[in-house]
Amino acid sequence: MVNLGLFSGAKRAKSVNVRFRLPYYTHWGQSLVVCGSDSLVGSWNVKKGLLLSPVHQGDQLIWCGSIAVSNGFECEYNYYVVDDNRNVLRWEKGNRRKVLLPQGLQGGEVIELRDLWQTGADAIPFKSAFKDVIFGRSSTLSIERPLGNFIHSLDEDDSVLVHFKICCPNIEEDTRIYVIGSSSKLGQWKVQNGIKLSHAGDSIWHGDCILQFSDFPLKYKYCKYGKAGVISSEFGQNRDLLLDASNFPPRYISLSDGMLRDLPWRGSGVAIPMFSVRSDDDLGVGEFLDLKLLVDWAVESGLHLVQLLPVNDTSVHGMWWDSYPYSSLSVFALHPLYLRVQALSDNIPEDIKLEIQKEKVELDGKDVDYEATMAAKLTLAQKIFAREKDSILNSSSFQKYLSENEEWLKPYAAFCFLRDFFETSDHSQWGRFSQFSKDKLEKLISKDSLHYDVICFHYYIQYHLHQQLLEAANYGRKKGVILKGDLPIGVDRNSVDTWVYPTLFRMNTSTGAPPDYFDKNGQNWGFPTYNWEEMSKDNYAWWRARLTQMSNYFTAYRIDHILGFFRIWELPEHAMTGLVGKFRPSIPLSQEELEREGIWDFDRLSRPYIKAEFLQDKFGAAWGFIASHFLNEYQKNFYEFKEQCNTEKKIASKLKSLVEETQLQNPDQIRRSLFDLIQNIVLMRDPENPRSFYPRFNLEDTSSFNDLDDHSKDVLKRLYYDYYFHRQEDLWRKNALKTLPVLLDSSDMLACGEDLGLIPSCVHPVMEELGLIGLRIQRMPNEPDLEFGIPSQYSYMTVCAPSCHDCSTLRAWWEEDEERRRRFMKNIIESDILPPSQCIPEIAYFIIKQHFEAPSMWAIFPLQDLLALKEEYTTRPAKEETINDPTNPKHYWRFRSHVTLESLMKDKELQATIKGLSLESGRSVPHDEAKPASKPIPVDVEAKKEKSSLATKSNGIPQKETLAVT
């Protein structure tokens, strides 16, 4: 091996040689750099860091380098992968490393730091979800010996001091960690004679041992010695320790051995929107304080996590449209809908208490009445505010909250006042207040203003929402239950954020998704796209503040539409559907590129291709009437849209007027047909660069494409495939690696990414690199050749679920399609018998059990799917339990559970069934020392007439033995 870092005798006499050593495979043109807090390793400037050199050792590529330091030297450092120009390509995750030298080193000594690259997955145990909630007991262990405290010194010339260091984040009380190995100094594989390690804090255990040269090569491993003398060794092959074949082998080796190779932790949870929770105390909708009871139910059911939809204020329109939880009025403000008015004061007068009770009765409906509930809560809150505003607003608690949140809270309160004053959230209609400025803001919120009480009322509501959600979040932490939030990909076009930070958004665009499982015509969410270039100028401060705010309440979160951080489906602002869009960023087809391929007629390809025969087919005898109002004939039998009708929004507006004037029949069908015509294009011209083009999604489905000559078809099909599946991959990967790490580093919450839909090949490698947990829904498999996902084959870094809020529930899905039921019965349950038409409890049990037994880190179930385990909870029609219909942009999000939390707390049978599934599948449960007395079974359904048979193996794959189900 190359002798690295040799110094002259004079140099060695005065300094210590620190060697860095890391096994890591790189691609051609890539190198490794050590960069850290000291100037010798670049002072955190990677371009000035220590460039390492590669050496092959067996089948490993080892990167090495050294620096000469004075005795007592300390610094932090990390490893970075760079290109030939030292541009950072990736960096390791997790905590910063530390150089801590043994005391009493003589000049010229060599200490070698043998490290392992820290992946995103390695950092997961240190996220607050695990560190503070799941593994909370481990974090309270006392420090036995701090890092850098070496208890041995070297005397003999042929000896080496080896310092062992291992990370063990999940340690039960009274558990000890040992290192054992092939040397007699390591007990010759006997734990009682091995080296007992000491806890150094932050889940690190360490110890040192003096070995002779003859002890090498050394084989060793770590093991746990627990209660009652139970010994468990780490999994996998023994670890190896070789001495470098150099003239000056190190006398001190510090081994950073990464994570203890233990059984991977697996947990389970329940998902339900906040608005869907029902309790005896709520006022027509779930409330933040209900989460305490939901946490109690989760604990009793053996669940470690409660997952919510976004809880930010969405009060944009002042009507039921605001029930859409992903269209934020403010990404910082909480939704007044979830306020418990009874908890606003300890001194609510009797007349207001009676009014609250009256509203409780009137609002206790099957579904959420969004408008009535909002009106009732705000009216009641205003009455209580009027009585106690002075005491609350002058309290030290409120003043502290205002001081810590004024950066977003003051603009939010001003926006709400202006929204109500002008009767619109469209801030372009606010006259001189259309353009935000701090001077205008200060005047609006001034104590001298006539509307100061209105401003303070919004402060007051947010303060109490904060207190109530924080109380619930702290309760969950104490009980060992993670509260998981949701990070929407967009904000409403008419929001506080677009008003205060207009340069951060492309207001002439709209976000959505291309055609996928949810909608064959694509989706248009209406949000403006992000101006990432502008956001990068302050290192994404808006995003960092947003994540910091979330972490006040949540220890885990779901990143909605994580693909949007690689690329977003961008539509023109005037679009209503989601079909005719393009990806941003993306590399377009250039006019030169197309011309080289023999494509010349760009007007023909990029304008709607409308022939008279198309009009006759779509509109029949009425085609002439439609053409006269919407189209011009620019040449014989060829038409184009009139100027006042040449966008989807213009068409909708014109059609609405026409219906009012003429009583036109079937306007929805006419609109769809007109949209088909305006979408009948092959290429879209870039509005910012007329020599750049984007192929329309599914261009082969258009009659415009089908009327082309064969050469043009072949060229455009090839370029289409290249645009959507090849040329963008490196660009999108780099884009995600600019933005996602900033989000992930903004807090210590556990991050999960919703990666459903059309997935570019670059996505999952980036998610793996960053330690992002993906989502697996059985009916939407990632594998193109599968109709149904196979939970037993999911990877560990996933959340698995049988359904989610964007699709039908397990029961509804089962009942929707008879032929699909049969295929599921045959291919997954491995039975040829006729499946029951209803999703009876034993069918639900089989599917849910599959997910519990999956290797996924998390199995998270919508509450509706867990209730399907018991027949008495399946009386409500399954279709009514669906939370969202992604194909309907005006869907009313109003599902409310038909079972109260208090009732669920009394149902010990259901709790035992769910907890039994967790325990039997090897998943962790809160306080899992409490084992069930007997195996819970699903509810008896023998009275059913339809019968089936199924049973499962421990891995979720069916066995041939049968159990009667109906």
Side-chain angles (χ1 to χ4, degrees):
M1 182 176 182
V2 175
N3 185 12
L4 297 166
L6 298 183
F7 298 88
S8 66
K11 185 85 171 182
R12 284 199 302 270
K14 296 178 180 179
S15 60
V16 174
N17 185 8
V18 176
R19 291 184 187 170
F20 299 91
R21 184 182 188 277
L22 180 83
Y24 190 86
Y25 284 103
T26 57
H27 297 293
W28 182 259
Q30 297 178 349
S31 300
L32 258 69
V33 165
V34 174
C35 186
S37 57
D38 191 88
S39 59
L40 289 172
V41 283
S43 298
W44 294 119
N45 182 344
V46 176
K47 291 188 181 294
K48 296 180 179 180
L50 175 66
L51 185 66
L52 304 184
S53 301
V55 177
H56 288 279
Q57 187 178 86
D59 59 352
Q60 288 188 317
L61 184 65
I62 311 294
W63 291 85
C64 306
S66 62
I67 56 174
V69 304
S70 58
N71 207 344
F73 173 83
E74 292 186 10
C75 88
E76 295 181 327
Y77 70 99
N78 276 116
Y79 294 95
Y80 299 79
V81 178
V82 299
D83 62 19
D84 291 337
N85 296 316
R86 289 215 183 188
N87 297 311
V88 176
L89 302 176
R90 70 182 64 89
W91 57 95
E92 50 175 3
K93 307 303 179 289
N95 298 327
R96 288 177 172 176
R97 302 175 183 272
K98 293 181 180 178
V99 177
L100 296 170
L101 302 182
Q103 296 296 316
L105 286 177
Q106 303 299 314
E109 296 283 12
V110 175
I111 178 167
E112 188 168 81
L113 307 178
R114 297 200 177 191
D115 295 324
L116 297 175
W117 181 271
Q118 296 177 154
T119 67
D122 291 334
I124 282 179
F126 302 102
K127 299 296 183 181
S128 57
F130 289 102
K131 177 169 60 73
D132 299 335
V133 183
I134 304 298
F135 302 155
R137 284 172 289 179
S138 300
S139 63
T140 62
L141 294 174
S142 59
I143 295 177
E144 300 170 318
R145 183 156 63 96
L147 286 175
N149 187 343
F150 290 68
I151 60 175
H152 294 93
S153 58
L154 291 176
D155 296 320
E156 302 175 28
D157 290 339
D158 65 343
S159 59
V160 178
L161 189 150
V162 178
H163 186 73
F164 297 92
K165 186 167 61 175
I166 190 73
C167 178
C168 311
N170 185 19
I171 296 295
E172 299 291 335
E173 294 178 8
D174 302 322
T175 297
R176 289 166 282 175
I177 306 297
Y178 284 83
V179 60
I180 58 177
S182 56
S183 167
S184 60
K185 300 289 183 65
L186 297 182
Q188 293 183 323
W189 303 110
K190 295 180 179 178
V191 172
Q192 59 269 30
N193 297 328
I195 301 294
K196 179 179 176 293
L197 304 184
S198 302
H199 185 232
D202 293 328
S203 300
I204 299 296
W205 299 73
H206 68 146
D208 47 70
C209 175
I210 296 178
L211 300 169
Q212 271 63 51
F213 289 170
S214 59
D215 289 316
F216 296 91
L218 178 74
K219 290 188 178 296
Y220 67 100
K221 68 168 43 180
Y222 297 92
C223 60
K224 294 191 291 188
Y225 189 91
K227 294 178 181 179
V230 176
I231 300 171
S232 58
S233 295
E234 64 177 346
F235 296 108
Q237 297 180 340
N238 295 327
R239 299 176 187 255
D240 295 310
L241 179 58
L242 308 175
L243 279 186
D244 293 342
S246 67
N247 295 327
F248 296 98
R251 300 293 307 284
Y252 296 85
I253 298 177
S254 179
L255 287 175
S256 294
D257 271 329
M259 304 289 292
L260 182 77
R261 300 193 301 249
D262 205 352
L263 267 177
W265 187 95
R266 293 156 63 242
S268 47
V270 60
I272 183 168
M274 189 71 258
F275 58 79
S276 299
V277 173
R278 184 188 290 266
S279 77
D280 290 343
D281 292 329
D282 71 45
L283 201 67
V285 70
E287 298 166 349
F288 287 145
L289 289 177
D290 287 329
L291 292 172
K292 296 170 70 174
L293 199 54
L294 184 56
V295 163
D296 287 338
W297 180 79
V299 171
E300 293 301 315
S301 303
L303 306 175
H304 261 305
L305 182 146
V306 169
Q307 177 172 315
L308 304 175
L309 294 187
V311 293
N312 297 103
D313 191 355
T314 60
S315 307
V316 176
H317 305 284
M319 58 181 296
W320 66 263
W321 289 2
D322 296 337
S323 66
Y324 180 31
Y326 287 91
S327 188
S328 304
L329 177 81
S330 165
V331 299
F332 299 99
L334 298 170
H335 206 309
L337 187 69
Y338 306 128
L339 183 72
R340 175 155 294 167
V341 293
Q342 303 96 303
L344 289 177
S345 173
D346 294 329
N347 302 303
I348 299 177
E350 287 302 317
D351 60 328
I352 297 180
K353 286 183 179 179
L354 290 173
E355 197 173 341
I356 292 172
Q357 191 57 40
K358 179 185 175 185
E359 294 289 1
K360 274 175 58 67
V361 173
E362 291 184 0
L363 294 171
D364 190 23
K366 181 179 70 172
D367 299 308
V368 176
D369 186 332
Y370 181 91
E371 294 172 38
T373 303
M374 278 290 288
K377 289 198 173 193
L378 291 177
T379 299
L380 291 164
Q382 283 171 335
K383 292 181 179 181
I384 298 170
F385 171 72
R387 294 176 56 86
E388 63 169 28
K389 62 183 178 183
D390 291 337
S391 60
I392 290 292
L393 298 179
N394 292 322
S395 68
S396 58
S397 175
F398 174 81
Q399 289 298 323
K400 181 175 184 289
Y401 170 76
L402 180 61
S403 173
E404 292 176 350
N405 295 275
E406 61 181 351
E407 189 70 20
W408 67 265
L409 182 58
K410 289 180 177 180
Y412 165 78
F415 186 98
C416 290
F417 165 73
L418 292 168
R419 171 200 62 196
D420 298 339
F421 180 83
F422 287 102
E423 298 183 338
T424 178
S425 290
D426 182 356
H427 37 84
S428 68
Q429 306 299 311
W430 290 354
R432 67 188 184 92
F433 294 110
S434 294
Q435 302 297 319
F436 173 84
S437 75
K438 289 192 175 181
D439 289 341
K440 294 175 188 175
L441 174 66
E442 291 303 321
K443 290 179 182 178
L444 276 171
I445 64 173
S446 168
K447 291 184 178 181
D448 300 328
S449 66
L450 294 175
H451 52 263
Y452 182 64
D453 274 3
V454 178
I455 296 292
C456 287
F457 177 67
H458 295 296
Y459 294 164
Y460 170 83
I461 293 294
Q462 288 301 313
Y463 167 70
H464 278 289
L465 287 165
H466 164 75
Q467 297 280 30
Q468 292 180 14
L469 181 53
L470 192 62
E471 180 181 336
N474 289 335
Y475 186 82
R477 287 185 176 98
K478 182 180 177 181
K479 290 282 190 174
V481 174
I482 293 166
L483 200 59
K484 182 180 178 184
D486 197 321
L487 183 75
I489 185 62
V491 301
D492 198 279
R493 184 174 303 280
N494 299 316
S495 65
V496 183
D497 301 281
T498 59
W499 182 52
V500 178
Y501 308 107
T503 60
L504 301 185
F505 305 91
R506 300 182 188 277
M507 297 299 289
N508 63 338
T509 66
S510 182
T511 58
D516 60 8
Y517 174 91
F518 296 114
D519 193 334
K520 63 182 178 63
N521 292 312
Q523 299 174 53
N524 186 341
W525 303 324
F527 314 133
T529 57
Y530 294 122
N531 186 342
W532 290 107
E533 294 78 13
E534 188 68 26
M535 288 178 162
S536 68
K537 292 178 181 178
D538 60 4
N539 194 27
Y540 309 96
W542 181 79
W543 281 104
R544 289 185 285 111
R546 189 177 175 184
L547 270 293
T548 300
Q549 179 77 358
M550 277 191 75
S551 67
N552 289 329
Y553 317 110
F554 302 104
T555 51
Y557 67 106
R558 167 189 177 272
I559 302 175
D560 173 46
H561 191 64
I562 197 171
L563 303 185
F565 295 93
F566 292 79
R567 84 293 184 273
I568 198 72
W569 186 245
E570 184 178 77
L571 301 149
E573 190 274 334
H574 55 69
M576 293 182 67
T577 66
L579 185 61
V580 185
K582 64 181 178 64
F583 288 121
R584 179 182 287 272
S586 65
I587 304 168
L589 308 179
S590 69
Q591 184 165 324
E592 293 78 12
E593 178 181 11
L594 290 162
E595 287 174 347
R596 285 197 301 270
E597 297 281 0
I599 304 295
W600 300 93
D601 195 349
F602 299 107
D603 283 343
R604 154 71 175 85
L605 296 171
S606 61
R607 70 193 297 181
Y609 183 66
I610 307 171
K611 297 168 68 174
E613 62 191 76
F614 299 165
L615 299 175
Q616 295 163 10
D617 288 343
K618 287 184 177 296
F619 304 109
W623 81 268
F625 175 82
I626 296 297
S628 67
H629 284 85
F630 292 91
L631 303 163
N632 291 321
E633 187 176 19
Y634 67 92
Q635 69 180 59
K636 187 171 177 58
N637 292 328
F638 283 88
Y639 290 80
E640 64 182 2
F641 280 95
K642 296 179 178 180
E643 177 68 24
Q644 65 268 33
C645 308
N646 63 358
T647 71
E648 292 178 1
K649 284 187 177 178
K650 288 180 181 180
I651 289 172
S653 177
K654 174 70 174 177
L655 186 60
K656 181 179 179 182
S657 301
L658 200 60
V659 169
E660 293 172 354
E661 295 170 4
T662 66
Q663 300 299 309
L664 190 65
Q665 300 298 307
N666 301 319
D668 289 342
Q669 182 179 337
I670 292 172
R671 185 174 73 166
R672 181 63 261 169
S673 296
L674 288 169
F675 280 8
D676 286 344
L677 291 174
I678 204 168
Q679 294 165 355
N680 191 26
I681 57 176
V682 175
L683 297 177
M684 294 173 292
R685 196 184 294 266
D686 191 324
E688 299 171 9
N689 183 355
R691 296 182 66 82
S692 294
F693 298 87
Y694 304 89
R696 204 212 85 162
F697 201 90
N698 289 342
L699 58 78
E700 290 183 66
D701 294 341
T702 67
S703 54
S704 178
F705 176 86
N706 290 326
D707 272 8
L708 293 173
D709 61 272
D710 290 342
H711 169 75
S712 296
K713 286 181 181 179
D714 291 342
V715 168
L716 289 166
K717 279 195 292 186
R718 175 165 46 83
L719 292 176
Y720 171 91
Y721 192 82
D722 179 62
Y723 174 84
Y724 281 101
F725 302 106
H726 284 295
R727 73 164 68 190
Q728 319 295 347
E729 295 292 330
D730 187 56
L731 173 66
W732 291 344
R733 179 185 181 280
K734 290 177 179 177
N735 196 56
L737 289 174
K738 288 179 184 176
T739 55
L740 281 173
V742 178
L743 267 72
L744 301 179
D745 294 342
S746 297
S747 76
D748 62 354
M749 292 185 288
L750 177 68
C752 306
E754 183 266 293
D755 53 347
L756 304 176
L758 183 68
I759 309 295
S761 60
C762 63
V763 170
H764 289 142
V766 168
M767 291 182 67
E768 182 179 352
E769 182 177 333
L770 298 179
L772 276 162
I773 302 166
L775 177 60
R776 299 294 175 269
I777 304 294
Q778 188 170 25
R779 70 188 72 169
M780 297 177 242
N782 283 0
E783 302 83 358
D785 57 332
L786 291 180
E787 182 180 12
F788 311 110
I790 304 173
S792 62
Q793 296 180 7
Y794 293 160
S795 68
Y796 176 67
M797 290 290 288
T798 57
V799 172
C800 69
S803 70
C804 66
H805 69 272
D806 272 330
C807 59
S808 54
T809 61
L810 176 56
R811 281 203 304 137
W813 175 81
W814 181 267
E815 296 166 13
E816 283 166 357
D817 188 326
E818 180 181 355
E819 288 304 314
R820 185 175 61 197
R821 280 199 303 273
R822 291 186 180 184
R823 294 192 299 272
F824 187 89
M825 200 79 179
K826 179 178 181 179
N827 298 327
I828 302 300
I829 300 179
E830 293 187 343
S831 172
D832 290 324
I833 66 173
L834 186 68
S837 60
Q838 304 295 309
C839 184
I840 59 176
E842 281 161 328
I843 291 291
Y845 186 87
F846 172 86
I847 296 173
I848 289 172
K849 181 180 173 68
Q850 274 194 316
H851 288 77
F852 268 107
E853 293 178 341
S856 303
M857 181 191 298
W858 288 101
I860 300 177
F861 303 90
L863 179 64
Q864 304 96 300
D865 291 354
L866 293 176
L867 294 182
L869 290 167
K870 195 163 184 179
E871 190 171 16
E872 70 179 81
Y873 298 131
T874 63
T875 55
R876 184 171 183 172
K879 285 185 177 180
E880 293 183 2
E881 294 185 329
T882 298
I883 294 167
N884 177 38
D885 175 8
T887 66
N888 179 9
K890 295 297 182 185
H891 175 74
Y892 194 167
W893 298 61
R894 63 186 312 195
F895 165 72
R896 195 173 181 217
S897 174
H898 61 294
V899 187
T900 65
L901 292 175
E902 289 82 2
S903 297
L904 289 176
M905 283 298 294
K906 295 175 184 176
D907 191 338
K908 301 303 178 185
E909 181 185 28
L910 179 64
Q911 293 168 21
T913 298
I914 298 170
K915 189 169 186 177
L917 284 164
S918 262
L919 289 169
E920 292 162 20
S921 64
R923 291 188 179 272
S924 174
V925 302
H927 316 299
D928 61 0
E929 61 271 11
K931 305 291 184 182
S934 60
K935 177 182 176 180
I937 57 173
V939 179
D940 178 36
V941 289
E942 291 181 1
K944 295 286 185 183
K945 294 181 179 179
E946 297 165 289
K947 297 199 173 183
S948 179
S949 61
L950 58 95
T952 59
K953 298 179 182 177
S954 61
N955 64 356
I957 301 298
Q959 292 178 331
K960 294 302 181 184
E961 57 205 59
T962 60
L963 170 69
V965 295
T966 54

